[in-house]
Amino acid sequence: QVQLMESGGGLVHSGDSLRLSCVVSAKVFHVLHMSWYRQVPGKGPELVATIFNDGTTQYSDSIVGRFAISRDNAKKAAYLQMNNLEPADTATYSCKAHDPTVTPPYGRDDWGKGTQVTVSS
């Protein structure tokens, strides 16, 4: 079973930066598509960014230009660099690993438990 562990959240002020990390226990990491989601109480999860197994990236319009997703296949980890944080970025951030090689064409999703990011004004 694949396990994901996020870290790097915390309490910061507007304009500050944070770097979130997601370490994955999968035997084979390079095939995975990695995504970061965020969720606030009472709302559904919002897709923030995705980095595909070929290195291409996609971003939500709400964070484009401020956040950057990356991955290190050797370390089996994905990262989310968050710059110029705003109070509206306050949420629980979770990473998701999508394995496209399992039960094609559906694949399999595995989730971490999340890390809290709180941005004060």
Side-chain angles (χ1 to χ4, degrees), residues 33-38 46-52 56-64 67-70 78-81 93-96:
H33 305 316
M34 299 299 300
S35 297
W36 285 96
Y37 286 75
R38 64 185 182 185
E46 174 193 6
L47 176 60
V48 175
T50 297
I51 184 164
F52 296 94
T56 58
T57 58
Q58 288 183 349
Y59 294 96
S60 164
D61 289 342
S62 64
I63 57 84
V64 68
F67 292 9
I69 189 171
S70 61
Y79 306 97
L80 187 66
Q81 178 66 43
Y93 286 73
S94 301
C95 65
K96 183 191 80 174

Side-chain angles (χ1 to χ4, degrees), residues 64-102:
V64 68
R66 296 191 297 123
F67 292 9
I69 189 171
S70 61
R71 64 191 295 156
D72 186 331
N73 289 342
K75 295 183 178 180
K76 297 184 179 180
Y79 306 97
L80 187 66
Q81 178 66 43
M82 305 186 295
N83 299 323
N84 194 20
L85 283 160
E86 305 168 351
D89 296 317
T90 295
T92 299
Y93 286 73
S94 301
C95 65
K96 183 191 80 174
H98 178 78
D99 189 340
T101 69
V102 176

Side-chain angles (χ1 to χ4, degrees), residues 9-62:
L11 172 62
V12 297
H13 294 99
S14 291
D16 286 350
S17 298
L18 279 175
R19 187 189 191 217
L20 305 183
S21 299
C22 175
V23 178
V24 183
S25 69
K27 290 184 179 180
V28 181
F29 178 80
H30 69 273
V31 301
L32 303 177
H33 305 316
M34 299 299 300
S35 297
W36 285 96
Y37 286 75
R38 64 185 182 185
Q39 188 168 17
V40 297
K43 292 188 176 181
E46 174 193 6
L47 176 60
V48 175
T50 297
I51 184 164
F52 296 94
N53 56 17
D54 65 356
T56 58
T57 58
Q58 288 183 349
Y59 294 96
S60 164
D61 289 342
S62 64

